[in-house]
């Protein structure tokens, strides 16, 4: 499958999807509150991620070396102070205030 929808875990571990070249879309559902370092690093096929409103922690380099075509759809209106500065090191496009 090239899509992941409604992840029920509250934590995406460090390196969880590191190096994946198949997944194109990810909808993290509503229960994810933590995304670890390098969680999606090197996901060259990734085009769209929905990050839920209640994601309180987003660690550095979570989206390192992802496709430049990837869009990070954040349900929150602006970057929380609890998200690390280098979370979007690949400069993927970010849409703040995204609604499903």
């Amino acid at each position: 499958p090239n899509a992941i929808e409604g992840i029920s875990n509250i934590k995406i571990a460090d390196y969880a999807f590191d190096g994946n070249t198949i997944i194109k879309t990810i909808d993290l559902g509503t229960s994810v509150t933590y995304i670890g370092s390098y969680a999606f690093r090197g996901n060259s096929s990734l085009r769209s991620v929905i990050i839920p409103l209640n994601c309180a922690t987003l660690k550095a380099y979570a989206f390192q070396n992802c496709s430049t075509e990837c869009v990070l759809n954040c349900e929150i209106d602006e970057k929380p102070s609890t998200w690390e500065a280098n979370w979007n090191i690949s400069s993927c496009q970010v849409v703040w205030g995204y609604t499903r």
Side-chain angles (χ1 to χ4, degrees), residues 41-97:
R41 178 178 69 171
N43 282 224
S44 58
S45 296
L46 196 57
R47 298 295 182 262
S48 173
V49 179
I50 300 174
I51 301 172
L53 182 64
N54 59 334
C55 183
T57 304
L58 212 163
K59 302 300 273 181
Y61 308 108
F63 295 96
Q64 181 182 24
N65 297 333
C66 285
S67 168
T68 56
E69 298 175 28
C70 183
V71 178
L72 305 175
N73 298 293
C74 302
E75 292 184 326
I76 196 161
D77 290 332
E78 61 185 26
K79 180 186 160 302
S81 61
T82 54
W83 289 14
E84 293 189 13
N86 295 332
W87 70 278
N88 182 20
I89 195 73
S90 293
S91 299
C92 297
Q93 178 185 348
V94 178
V95 175
W96 296 107

